[in-house]
Amino acid sequence: MRIADLPTPSLLLDLPKLRRNLAAMATAAARHGVSLRPHLKTAKSVEVARLATEGQAGGITVSTLAEARAFAEAGFRDQIYAVGITPQKLDAVASLNARGADVKVITDDLDVAEAIAAHPGRLGALIEVDAGEHRGGIAPDDARLVAIAQRLGTRFAGLLAHAGHSCAGRSVAELAAIAEAERAGLVAAAARVRAAGLEVPIVSMGSSPTALHAERLEGITELRAGVYMFGDLLQCQIHTSALEHIAVSVLASVIGRRPEQNRLLLDAGALALSKDRSTEAAPEDYGFGLVVDLEGRPSLGRAIIRRTWQEHAVVESDRPLPFERLPVGAKLRVLPNHACLTAAAYPAYHVLDGGDEVVAVWQRVNYW
Amino acid sequence: MRIADLPTPSLLLDLPKLRRNLAAMATAAARHGVSLRPHLKTAKSVEVARLATEGQAGGITVSTLAEARAFAEAGFRDQIYAVGITPQKLDAVASLNARGADVKVITDDLDVAEAIAAHPGRLGALIEVDAGEHRGGIAPDDARLVAIAQRLGTRFAGLLAHAGHSCAGRSVAELAAIAEAERAGLVAAAARVRAAGLEVPIVSMGSSPTALHAERLEGITELRAGVYMFGDLLQCQIHTSALEHIAVSVLASVIGRRPEQNRLLLDAGALALSKDRSTEAAPEDYGFGLVVDLEGRPSLGRAIIRRTWQEHAVVESDRPLPFERLPVGAKLRVLPNHACLTAAAYPAYHVLDGGDEVVAVWQRVNYW
């Protein structure tokens, strides 16, 4: 099947771009001598996970129990489930571990550490350290850090931080500084835990921007990152991607034309693109996405999705749109603001290998 | 199973509230003597469709081919697929009609009308009329209106408008005025087509706000509406719902606590709630949703989801949060800004019938 024969909206994945992005991150990790634990929250695909772990230690990061289950079934034993765990979810994790997996959980809470320690199943846990974003995690100098590690006892597997605020960074220097704060916080936390007599096997940091732009990683054992695999319009503006490297796009059809207003209507709306507005505060605001042609080239000018409804999107451009080539039914592609959210709208990827032929369909592990 | 035993995030549907909302819209339609063609784009559920069509003519509205297929298989013959059709999608519709369905398409384009007329399958089509939102459709006085109807010939089934801009209406008087403009536009368009010698069997208008607040519907044969079934925080502010009538909510767990900042972290993030910010421009901005207790009561004050990440959400409130009752693992519910988008994140509804027991699981027809 060729792209032009696919129903719309559909999700496309350019394999050569994916491979290029994976290689760039592998190089960044190798430069520091740390291993890469790819975060599968973006791709949620076993096939992508296999490519992303090539040449790495093999461990992965997941964001849902559904991912943990699917990847464990596919043979990915070493996982970190990197969303603060609740006691109620421990049975599900222990059940995977009883069947041979090694899914580690994370926490920043004394009572949860107690529940982990008391659980009859096999469990390992990392403590989440707040690297400056103040979403989850405890500060490196928080008195509870050592107490939680001690409470976890033999189940304590290490420390983890995520500098999610790196997505608000604008310059490479700023990203490097955020990465260094993330690293330094983790290293300080690890020193405190070690001083209390505990081993800290894993010291895990990462976000795509800090993983790519860290200047040094002494004391860190592994990098986690996810969105780098696909890239998106926000990542292009924070120096971790470029328009020509964005590996996922949404195939859409023209369903309305208003030449007098230089506007098109597409059938990729709020559900097909997500309502993510990550680029709103970025140097370049791409609305709900950038429209490119069927070959993926930005030949329509700055053609932006200005507004979305559930199944409709309005496109406007800074140059006259080629209406003569765009009858109702013509197909275009939309590059996403935020690849993680846009991809989540689809059950599968239609994989392209440099041409216009769909060479594979890769399922996603959606929901929870 | 009880609510407290469900994994999180999960989607809850309160059956008594759903029934109340369905009855309110049925009454509004009956008052005008028009039939109601429920739009299933919000619920995407066969079970909800059965309840929503009770006492009505039985026709439904759908927003995707996936819905058209699933509802046709479930016996819903009379459908309008209310997103501008492309020639490429006609085969799929005709194939459903060949198996006994009567799925009607919509268009505002002469070339598409030609393709519909020329298609070998059984097809009916309505012309989309622009009721003032200027998204799709042609103006009632546009010269192409009669030409498209003539081009469709025996396949012409009527006229359809959707005043989606009613969601920006603020007062009942304003909504009534938008409804009247929608009605008047359709009636004027119907008169022009009839003057050209064609019959106009269906004259279809609707959005939840205009369906509920229209003062008169002379010349209209049916109302379409969808979000009224569930209600949401935006609809509460445009006089079509109320907090106590919102029928869908997201069950979430506390995964982080920052008492010193009066903040909670929940495991219902951007994927579980959607990034819809419909209430941003409304009188009351609910961020990404309003947090209520497990019983659905707003007992936490104005507890708002202030920020989301893929799987995390930060809650802040205007009063001290009861941390003593909210350990990690405690469950809460989140009322959605926009029910259509939030529900779309889930494969199924966990149905409650006035108590805390899950009495049924109803599947959704997601994707395209």
Side-chain angles (χ1 to χ4, degrees), chain A residues 89 133 267 311 366-368, chain B residues 89 267 309 311 367-368:
Chain A
K89 292 175 182 173
E133 187 178 26
D267 65 355
E311 299 294 345
N366 286 339
Y367 309 132
W368 295 271
Chain B
K89 294 176 183 173
D267 65 355
W309 296 259
E311 299 294 345
Y367 310 131
W368 294 271

Side-chain angles (χ1 to χ4, degrees), chain B residues 34-325:
Chain B
V34 300
S35 59
L36 179 62
R37 183 187 286 279
H39 203 321
L40 272 308
K41 80 185 183 83
T42 309
K44 296 191 184 234
S45 149
V46 167
E47 290 82 359
V48 174
R50 291 205 178 106
L51 295 176
T53 50
E54 268 177 17
Q56 305 299 329
I60 60 170
T61 316
V62 300
S63 66
T64 65
L65 283 172
E67 290 169 45
R69 276 186 209 104
F71 290 117
E73 276 169 28
F76 291 90
R77 196 175 161 274
D78 175 10
Q79 301 185 28
I80 295 177
Y81 172 23
V83 177
I85 198 76
T86 66
Q88 293 81 351
K89 294 176 183 173
L90 291 174
D91 284 353
V93 175
S95 146
L96 293 176
N97 292 347
R99 297 201 297 276
D102 175 23
V103 179
K104 290 165 277 292
V105 299
I106 72 169
T107 188
D108 62 2
D109 187 275
L110 259 173
D111 294 334
V112 177
E114 181 74 46
I116 293 168
H119 195 280
R122 198 162 62 75
L123 289 170
L126 293 92
I127 299 176
E128 185 174 8
V129 173
D130 183 353
E133 188 178 27
H134 312 312
R135 179 180 78 178
I138 57 174
D141 59 356
D142 191 306
R144 292 168 299 176
L145 174 68
V146 171
I148 296 174
Q150 288 168 332
R151 197 74 65 96
L152 287 169
T154 56
R155 295 185 160 187
F156 175 66
L159 301 172
L160 169 146
H162 170 62
H165 57 306
S166 61
C167 282
R170 289 294 171 261
S171 68
V172 167
E174 203 180 336
L175 295 171
I178 294 171
E180 175 54 21
E182 189 182 11
R183 185 199 74 83
L186 273 171
V187 168
R192 290 188 55 221
V193 176
R194 287 188 181 119
L198 286 124
E199 282 186 36
V200 187
I202 300 176
V203 184
S204 177
M205 72 170 256
S207 69
S208 291
T210 58
L212 283 172
H213 296 295
E215 286 174 354
R216 59 195 200 104
L217 291 179
E218 286 84 2
I220 299 300
T221 66
E222 64 174 38
L223 286 175
R224 303 180 328 283
V227 73
Y228 72 94
M229 299 180 198
F230 292 168
D232 57 32
L233 294 168
L234 177 65
Q235 298 298 319
C236 285
Q237 299 188 61
I238 56 174
H239 313 285
T240 64
S241 185
L243 283 187
E244 64 272 24
H245 298 154
I246 297 178
V248 290
S249 55
V250 170
L251 185 72
S253 291
V254 173
I255 58 169
R257 297 151 40 88
R258 294 193 181 241
E260 67 286 4
Q261 297 166 327
N262 199 38
R263 280 170 57 172
L264 287 170
L265 201 60
L266 299 185
D267 65 355
L271 288 188
L273 298 173
S274 96
K275 293 206 77 163
D276 190 276
R277 290 285 286 110
S278 292
T279 63
E280 192 170 18
E284 188 135 19
D285 182 356
Y286 286 105
F288 293 92
L290 176 67
V291 181
V292 296
D293 61 27
L294 201 52
E295 289 73 38
R297 294 170 313 212
S299 64
L300 304 181
R302 210 168 164 286
I304 307 288
I305 306 277
R306 284 289 169 208
R307 208 178 150 194
T308 60
W309 296 259
Q310 187 163 339
E311 299 294 345
H312 300 75
V314 160
V315 184
E316 294 177 0
S317 178
D318 61 353
R319 71 171 79 155
L321 290 163
F323 284 92
E324 68 288 356
R325 291 190 278 116

